[in-house]
Amino acid sequence: MPIIKILPHPEYCPAGTEITAPSGTSICEALLDHKINIEHACDMSCACTTCHVIVREGFNSLNDLEETEEDLLDRAWGLEPNSRLSCQAFLATKDLVIEIPRYTINHAKENH
């Protein structure tokens, strides 16, 4: 199982952590399964950007971006060339290092 190293985030993961998840799992599902409650306002349907992450290592091991995800990413706060929507980025066999941006475009957080 690949390891996902999450860099420190003041709200979701203050000290940073490492988790494992089976190949084929989305980054968002892996985070939520390990009680890292990343925003996902559209319930992982690729309709918002609240689950945006920056993949610092392992980006090329993820599945290719679909056009819908690419279009949505243009609206994400803190967009970088290695940005992905965590609900659309599926793990392969390589380990990842991700950063959860400090902000989203969401004005109010929803409890999921």
Side-chain angles (χ1 to χ4, degrees):
M1 279 197 282
I3 296 168
I4 304 171
K5 179 179 180 180
I6 300 101
L7 298 176
H9 182 281
E11 182 180 349
Y12 300 121
C13 192
T17 194
E18 289 186 0
I19 62 174
T20 59
S23 298
T25 303
S26 75
I27 294 173
C28 189
E29 291 171 312
L31 294 172
L32 294 171
D33 287 347
H34 288 86
K35 309 294 185 237
I36 300 168
N37 296 317
I38 189 169
E39 281 188 75
H40 55 290
C42 70
D43 287 324
M44 297 184 271
S45 66
C46 194
C48 72
T49 63
T50 59
C51 71
H52 168 229
V53 296
I54 301 163
V55 183
R56 296 292 180 205
E57 292 178 24
F59 183 85
N60 290 330
S61 70
L62 299 169
N63 58 304
D64 291 335
L65 277 91
E66 299 282 329
E67 188 175 339
T68 304
E69 179 185 3
E70 221 169 339
D71 291 344
L72 279 170
L73 276 170
D74 289 337
R75 295 186 249 162
W77 185 91
L79 181 67
E80 293 190 17
N82 50 343
S83 288
R84 291 294 304 260
L85 297 181
S86 65
C87 70
Q88 299 302 302
F90 294 91
L91 301 172
T93 57
K94 297 209 178 198
D95 296 346
L96 300 177
V97 175
I98 66 164
E99 180 178 350
I100 302 169
R102 189 173 182 102
Y103 303 105
T104 71
I105 63 169
N106 221 13
H107 294 287
K109 292 187 182 202
E110 299 178 26
N111 295 324
H112 286 277

